[in-house]
Amino acid sequence: MLDRLDLLVIGECVADIVRLPGAADQVHPGGSPANVAYGLARLGYGTTLLTQLGPDDNGRLIRDHLAAAGVEVRTDGATAPTPSAAVTLDDGGRAAYTFDITWTLAPVTPDRPPRHVHTGSLATVMAPGAATVLAAVESLRAAATVSYDPNVRPELMGDHDAAVRQVERCVAFSDVVKASDEDLEWLYPGRDAREVAERWLASGPALVLVTRGRDGALAVLPGGQVTVDALPADVVDTVGAGDAFMSGTLHALAAHGLLGAAGRERLRSLDRATVTEVLRHAAACAAVTVARAGANPPDEGELKAALARS
């Protein structure tokens, strides 16, 4: 296992209240950054999550869930209610969200610099906490690689043009960026996802990944493009699939020694074979997750089994 603060995730926790026709509500721990932290811990990494949790039942549920995987949770001491999202699933297991969220994160200084920082989602666009998140990441990136997932939630993004500018600022300071084709369609309506990924790559990152649901995933890197198919899965729901893809990506990059300031230059000279392996690991994590309810990513044994079946 890596040192406890080797991987730092900054972002929101959300209680996902899943509503199915004719069934009682089910509450699942969620929030995109929290899901990534949980996924990394399940894969054996010492992971710290800097977040906000209320002193309520949902907050205790999420804290216990994260602790069970080994995530160290640090908060700024805020006492607002834990954010929540009502999740409605359609017949294909696709999720739609209604949010009750505030994000007021105050500065919290890590005990020592992490090797890698991940952030994204509402934490990077919702005021006033977003300013704290961006300042923290920008101050840490000299000693750490950075990954970012915009995880667009249109209802909470505010003014479209301002949101695009904020997303592009985050893309520019990141080494690895992951977005879904739906994210890109909201940010840049009618634009080709490959074109957007190439433009993002030119602004700073070493690697831009685009997830496309059942159509697999695309990676854009300086040496060209790589695609992989989605792994077969009996879909229960898609909650947390993109977050599992992200944690699987970071797991594979870490295995190749590509995270941390010392790995940044190697990350910028990736070959297609390595990127293909990274995408396969990420797709396998997503496939395991969609086959069961809630944001429930694989541990290392489950990931190995999924890769062996692919």
Side-chain angles (χ1 to χ4, degrees), residues 88-212:
T88 304
L89 303 175
D90 66 15
D91 292 340
R94 292 178 294 272
Y97 297 83
T98 303
F99 297 95
D100 182 8
I101 293 177
T102 58
W103 180 246
T104 61
L105 188 72
V108 177
T109 303
D111 295 334
R112 57 189 174 85
R115 182 184 304 178
H116 182 82
V117 180
H118 173 76
T119 192
S121 193
L122 305 176
T124 56
V125 295
M126 181 174 283
T132 299
V133 175
L134 270 61
V137 175
E138 290 176 327
S139 71
L140 292 168
R141 75 176 308 274
T145 42
V146 175
S147 56
Y148 168 65
D149 176 3
N151 190 48
V152 169
R153 294 291 179 250
E155 303 90 340
L156 298 172
M157 298 295 284
D159 176 77
H160 181 270
D161 290 345
V164 171
R165 289 192 296 272
Q166 187 84 331
V167 166
E168 290 178 346
R169 176 182 173 186
C170 295
V171 168
F173 66 52
S174 300
D175 298 285
V176 178
V177 175
K178 189 230 78 165
S180 70
D181 52 2
E182 293 177 345
D183 292 337
L184 299 184
E185 177 59 29
W186 186 85
L187 291 165
Y188 309 101
R191 298 277 294 276
D192 179 75
R194 292 173 187 260
E195 176 193 341
V196 173
E198 289 172 351
R199 187 163 67 82
W200 277 7
L201 187 77
S203 73
L207 183 64
V208 177
L209 309 176
V210 180
T211 58
R212 303 184 293 186

Side-chain angles (χ1 to χ4, degrees), residues 231-263:
L231 272 64
D234 294 325
V235 177
V236 174
D237 68 50
T238 60
V239 176
D243 305 323
F245 187 99
M246 188 76 250
S247 57
T249 296
L250 297 178
H251 172 61
L253 292 173
H256 284 278
L258 297 168
L259 298 185

Side-chain angles (χ1 to χ4, degrees), residues 209-294:
L209 309 176
V210 180
T211 58
R212 303 184 293 186
R214 295 180 184 275
D215 294 325
L218 161 73
V220 177
L221 61 155
Q225 300 178 358
V226 176
T227 59
V228 297
D229 294 332
L231 272 64
D234 294 325
V235 177
V236 174
D237 68 50
T238 60
V239 176
D243 305 323
F245 187 99
M246 188 76 250
S247 57
T249 296
L250 297 178
H251 172 61
L253 292 173
H256 284 278
L258 297 168
L259 298 185
R264 180 170 277 135
E265 287 307 310
R266 295 195 302 278
L267 186 61
R268 294 187 175 278
S269 57
L270 283 171
D271 59 84
R272 294 171 63 86
T274 300
V275 174
T276 300
E277 183 179 347
V278 169
L279 287 177
R280 285 187 64 249
H281 277 71
C285 282
V288 172
T289 303
V290 300
R292 48 201 191 190

Side-chain angles (χ1 to χ4, degrees), residues 20-79:
L20 297 170
D25 289 354
Q26 300 178 24
V27 181
H28 297 286
S32 176
N35 291 340
V36 173
Y38 182 80
L40 289 167
R42 291 267 290 168
L43 291 169
Y45 294 95
T47 307
T48 295
L49 174 66
L50 174 56
T51 191
Q52 291 185 305
L53 283 172
D56 48 31
D57 288 345
N58 286 342
R60 286 184 285 273
L61 172 72
I62 293 172
R63 189 183 289 273
D64 290 347
H65 167 76
L66 293 166
V71 178
E72 181 178 323
V73 178
R74 295 191 63 187
T75 71
D76 64 355
T79 58

